[in-house]
Amino acid sequence: MTVMVPSKTPATTSAPPSPSRPAEPAPPPRSEPFPPSPGRRALDAALYQLDRAADHLRLDDGLRAMLATPRRSLTVSVPVRREDGRMEVVHGYRVQHNVSRGPAKGGIRFHPGTDLHEVTALAMLMTWKCALVGIPYGGAKGGVAVDPGAMTSRELERVTRRYVNEILPIIGPEKDIPAPDVGTDEQTMAWIMDTYSVNTGYSVPGVVTGKPTTLGGSLGRAGATARGVQIAALTALGRDPEGVTVAVQGFGKVGALTALYLAESGCRVVAISDATGAVTRASGLDVAALRAHVAETGGVYGFRDADPLGHGELLELDVDLLVPAALEGVITAGNAPRVRARLVVEGANGPVTPEADEVLADAGVTVVPDILANAGGVIVSYLEWVQNMQAYAWGELEVELKLRELMEQAFGEVRAHAAGHGRTLREAAHAIGVERVAQAHQVRGLYP
Ligand code: NAD
């Protein structure tokens, strides 16, 4: 196991410098500078946010270094047999950023661009998110650098099982509990649960969340992240949502249901994009019909009852509410001045860079940060795990009420902190999350 491997890219950053950055081996000398990878930028952004919170909380250097450094980072190589008989080797990662408040918790991402930096950044965000919403977990994340869209189901099953086999020693219901993220779904979780259970000798449903209900998945988990985004968006709006115009970037597990729930609330969803393209309709898109189109064709591109739109244009539309729900780093210093929405609710993790955050704050745009806005997923994952550990299942209404209660409580705390300290919602959310983790470290003390 390693703690931070040297990056393929130099540790340059577009974000402001980060005193909390953990010690890293020097990058190899290079004759020409080249831009940091998206993963490196995501990690720089996460470290920058930690720094801001640590400054605010006046944390000492030792604690800062501890919070900036993942507790455990595992890099594995995953040999995969393709359908034509070829054997390929892909890289996989599992990072447990912090376990001071409970077992590590976080999704597994299948995406060709994922790397150790990105997974580390996302694991760190999970730590603050779990602390912020008051669930007893630390933060983790996993990733495999594959393109699931270019693989058959059998290839994906082989990748999943082999990857899980490699990370098996560090996961488990009391240690680290994976969940779905970009490019993975209920089926992936079922394969993980089976692989872990076969190795253990008995069924262990609590090793993953976001499973099919037939294996102990929770009612309400599939729509939980989107339900949380909806609650966050409507709370932030603070007015009748009827006719509120919305643009949603990403039409996967988070984006599609967020668009649907917001439309059901009375909002007018006027633009939606995914990897295949973007579509718009001023009078409001029929989100259910668009979901059916995507199920049939694989993407939003070519949807009949809408006009095509440029990918970048969606982020700059004159709408009331913008929900980036695809990948990180999409709103940057470059396009932030052109964002016209007055409210941005982060369905995705890290979609707004620190530089863009400042531009939006200066322009009076409210940003509901990822660790609050998309926490519905991990909240219901926690509820699923609690049900699994008790071998008991709750009804959907009970799950949704608990989700709502935790989301609204966290939102209220963030809003009160922001108002009391004259800070943005992101600064407030990070201050609360980081403080809770720091307190856990302080009262536990250092072993030995
Ligand atoms: P997903 O794989 O189900 O969907 C991702 C979507 O983004 C797809 O529709 C894809 O086509 C689209 N996309 C990719 N590139 C795009 C681009 N350039 N422009 C527009 N759309 C693009 O993933 P997901 O689970 O919905 O996750 C989306 C985001 O939400 C990620 O940042 C993830 O970390 C975060 N998140 C997910 C969960 C969860 O429960 N799944 C929970 C919290 C946060």
Side-chain angles (χ1 to χ4, degrees):
M1 286 175 212
T2 56
V3 176
M4 301 292 290
V5 297
S7 167
K8 278 195 285 185
T9 59
T12 54
T13 170
S14 53
S18 169
S20 289
R21 173 149 335 140
E24 273 189 85
R30 302 210 176 247
S31 51
E32 284 178 19
F34 54 92
S37 69
R40 178 72 248 182
R41 286 198 297 268
L43 182 55
D44 284 336
L47 289 167
Y48 173 69
Q49 286 155 4
L50 169 60
D51 266 343
R52 300 278 301 240
D55 287 346
H56 176 72
L57 298 166
R58 297 198 171 88
L59 299 185
D60 65 48
D61 287 350
L63 200 46
R64 278 171 185 255
M66 197 132 161
L67 298 178
T69 312
R71 181 69 177 269
R72 189 175 283 132
S73 305
L74 179 59
T75 299
V76 298
S77 57
V78 184
V80 50
R81 178 82 56 200
R82 303 300 297 254
E83 298 294 8
D84 61 8
R86 277 178 305 126
M87 203 266 289
E88 285 174 9
V89 178
V90 296
H91 287 106
Y93 312 94
R94 186 71 187 171
V95 174
Q96 296 166 354
H97 170 254
N98 193 285
V99 289
S100 60
R101 299 180 63 260
K105 185 88 187 81
I108 288 175
R109 172 173 291 197
F110 283 1
H111 188 275
T114 202
D115 62 16
L116 184 59
H117 291 313
E118 179 187 74
V119 173
T120 304
L122 293 167
M124 188 180 293
L125 289 180
M126 285 302 296
T127 299
W128 318 140
K129 189 183 300 183
C130 293
L132 174 64
V133 297
I135 56 178
Y137 287 139
K141 205 78 182 187
V144 183
V146 288
D147 179 1
M151 300 183 99
T152 66
S153 176
R154 289 196 314 186
E155 288 170 340
L156 280 175
E157 179 175 354
R158 288 199 285 268
V159 169
T160 305
R161 290 187 184 279
R162 188 65 191 245
Y163 164 70
V164 172
N165 211 56
E166 299 299 332
I167 66 167
L168 207 69
I170 65 167
I171 64 169
E174 272 105 13
K175 292 197 272 188
D176 180 358
I177 306 122
D181 191 74
V182 173
T184 56
D185 57 17
E186 283 190 356
Q187 178 60 73
T188 326
M189 298 306 114
W191 290 327
I192 295 176
M193 184 261 190
D194 183 67
T195 307
Y196 186 88
S197 298
V198 166
N199 275 276
T200 309
Y202 50 89
S203 286
V204 188
V207 67
V208 277
T209 58
K211 302 176 290 294
T213 47
T214 186
L215 291 178
S218 177
L219 293 172
R221 174 59 183 90
T225 308
R227 185 64 76 200
V229 175
Q230 178 202 27
I231 293 168
L234 298 185
T235 310
L237 267 173
R239 64 179 160 107
D240 181 2
E242 198 62 41
V244 163
T245 52
V246 183
V248 181
Q249 184 196 45
F251 203 60
K253 295 182 293 299
V254 179
L257 288 176
T258 296
L260 188 70
Y261 296 159
L262 287 172
E264 285 171 359
S265 303
C267 296
R268 189 149 48 94
V269 181
V270 296
I272 289 177
S273 67
D274 70 4
T276 67
V279 291
T280 182
R281 190 175 186 213
S283 59
L285 291 159
D286 180 341
V287 180
L290 183 57
R291 289 185 77 202
H293 171 83
V294 171
E296 200 182 313
T297 67
V300 303
Y301 178 79
F303 182 51
R304 265 187 324 192
D305 300 324
D307 296 318
L309 187 72
H311 255 135
E313 281 178 90
L314 178 134
L315 299 171
E316 300 167 16
L317 284 180
D318 188 7
V319 288
D320 301 308
L321 165 61
L322 173 63
V323 183
L327 292 170
E328 52 270 7
V330 294
I331 301 179
T332 63
N335 60 4
R338 298 192 296 276
V339 169
R340 284 183 283 171
R342 305 313 297 160
L343 174 62
V344 176
V345 178
E346 294 185 328
N349 286 308
V352 178
T353 67
E355 297 87 347
D357 228 10
E358 279 186 28
V359 174
L360 296 179
D362 289 347
V365 178
T366 301
V367 178
V368 183
D370 44 14
I371 63 169
L372 174 60
N374 68 32
V378 76
I379 289 173
V380 178
S381 274
Y382 165 63
L383 300 176
E384 178 173 326
W385 177 78
V386 170
Q387 292 168 78
N388 293 159
M389 299 307 259
Q390 299 176 79
Y392 191 70
W394 302 331
E396 189 155 7
L397 188 60
E398 189 165 359
V399 172
E400 193 168 327
L401 285 175
K402 285 179 167 36
L403 163 66
R404 187 169 291 280
E405 189 185 320
L406 288 174
M407 281 298 297
E408 288 177 351
Q409 183 175 329
F411 203 112
E413 288 171 349
V414 170
R415 186 134 69 182
H417 185 106
H421 294 83
R423 316 197 80 212
T424 64
L425 295 178
R426 189 187 312 281
E427 289 166 337
H430 276 82
I432 295 170
V434 170
E435 183 171 35
R436 289 180 181 162
V437 179
Q439 281 170 347
H441 276 285
Q442 278 159 340
V443 295
R444 283 182 62 155
L446 193 58
Y447 174 87

